């Protein structure tokens, strides 16, 4: 049986915004600077590093150039709105004080994550579907395709055999707030049967 839904879970995006800030400089220097900025402000800051959390930030050619040291290393970071504003204020003196340069500071309209899974036991399928059906407010699934096939004649075959008595497949795109999407991607790592692409950002 197969079914397709557009927007498996209808939600209202929570009022919280994020920005992608691009630094030219070494990631460890960026990390140290942002930690100091957050501590100095006395406010909680949300900070994600794209290379750590599987957020797409450039093409393969640019990554190869960085590995070959053809151009300066870029560090893409996702921050909350308050941190973005503080970075805009210090951008001019940042290069002189730290050697870092901010080359972009753009609002993230939304983010998306393409996923797919294949399970040969009902309990694994149910565990994955449960996670997808209980997304937090701020995320939704678009174009969810879920197909389950039952073949009683294959009952008892070995797990590595080409034929199974139960086979479930699913694909879709989760869309919404980038911080929630990063948390979801981390959660999906606990499910080896789920494969997900890098998170794509929709920038202003």
């Amino acid at each position: 049986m197969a079914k397709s839904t557009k927007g498996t879970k209808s939600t209202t995006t929570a009022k919280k915004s994020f920005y992608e800030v691009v630094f030219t400089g070494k990631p460890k220097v960026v990390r140290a600077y942002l930690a100091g900025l957050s501590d100095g402000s006395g406010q909680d800051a949300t900070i994600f590093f794209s290379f750590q959390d599987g957020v797409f930030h450039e093409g393969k050619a640019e990554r190869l150039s960085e590995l070959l040291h053809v151009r300066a290393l870029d560090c893409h970071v996702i921050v909350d709105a308050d941190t973005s504003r503080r970075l805009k204020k210090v951008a001019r003196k940042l290069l002189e004080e730290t050697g870092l340069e901010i080359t972009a500071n753009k609002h993230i309209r939304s983010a998306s994550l393409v996923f797919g899974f294949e399970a040969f036991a009902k309990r694994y399928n149910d565990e994955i579907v449960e996670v997808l059906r209980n997304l937090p407010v701020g995320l939704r699934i678009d174009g969810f395709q879920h197909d389950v096939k039952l073949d009683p004649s294959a009952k008892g075959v070995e797990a590595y055999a080409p034929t199974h008595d139960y086979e479930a497949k699913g694909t879709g795109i989760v869309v919404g707030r980038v911080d929630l999407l990063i948390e979801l991607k981390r959660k999906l790592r606990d499910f080896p049967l789920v494969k997900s692409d890098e998170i794509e950002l929709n920038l202003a």
Side-chain angles (χ1 to χ4, degrees):
M1 56 181 177
K3 52 185 177 180
S4 173
T5 59
K6 185 177 181 181
T8 298
K9 185 168 184 179
S10 178
T11 61
T12 302
T13 303
K15 293 181 179 180
K16 196 171 184 181
S17 58
F18 294 88
Y19 290 73
E20 184 194 46
V21 181
V22 182
F23 292 85
T24 297
K26 294 181 179 180
K28 65 179 182 180
V29 179
V30 175
R31 186 191 302 276
Y33 178 77
L34 289 176
L37 184 70
S38 177
D39 291 342
S41 68
Q43 300 177 8
D44 291 333
T46 300
I47 300 170
F48 299 103
F49 288 83
S50 295
F51 68 90
Q52 283 187 330
D53 284 299
V55 180
F56 177 83
H57 58 275
E58 58 191 358
K60 292 181 179 179
E62 289 180 289
R63 292 183 181 180
L64 179 60
S65 296
E66 288 181 350
L67 290 174
L68 296 175
H69 305 290
V70 174
R71 66 184 181 89
L73 183 67
D74 285 346
C75 183
H76 293 239
V77 183
I78 294 168
V79 302
D80 59 88
D82 287 339
T83 302
S84 170
R85 283 192 289 269
R86 290 198 292 273
L87 287 170
K88 287 178 180 178
K89 291 180 180 179
V90 301
R92 290 186 177 181
K93 61 180 181 180
L94 186 63
L95 181 60
E96 181 181 342
E97 294 181 352
T98 67
L100 299 174
E101 182 179 7
I102 295 176
T103 57
N105 191 333
K106 296 182 179 180
H107 178 242
I108 301 172
R109 291 195 180 103
S110 65
S112 59
L113 175 67
V114 176
F115 70 88
F117 67 89
E118 187 172 15
F120 298 109
K122 185 177 184 300
R123 70 184 184 93
Y124 296 134
N125 171 75
D126 292 348
E127 288 174 357
I128 295 168
V129 172
E130 181 70 14
V131 172
L132 297 173
R133 283 179 176 170
N134 290 281
L135 297 176
V137 173
L139 293 181
R140 73 175 191 275
I141 296 181
D142 284 347
F144 184 47
Q145 299 282 343
H146 187 210
D147 184 64
V148 177
K149 295 179 181 179
L150 303 176
D151 184 3
S153 65
K155 191 82 172 176
V157 299
E158 297 296 334
Y160 52 79
T163 304
H164 303 274
D165 66 308
Y166 184 95
E167 182 179 356
K169 294 182 179 180
T171 59
I173 304 174
V174 184
V175 181
R177 225 175 69 188
V178 65
D179 61 324
L180 300 177
L181 206 54
I182 289 174
E183 293 299 333
L184 175 65
K185 187 172 177 64
R186 290 175 177 175
K187 189 173 185 178
L188 291 178
R189 290 173 184 166
D190 294 333
F191 297 87
L193 300 178
V194 179
K195 307 299 180 185
S196 61
D197 293 345
E198 289 185 309
I199 296 172
E200 294 272 1
L201 301 180
N202 176 20
L203 300 172

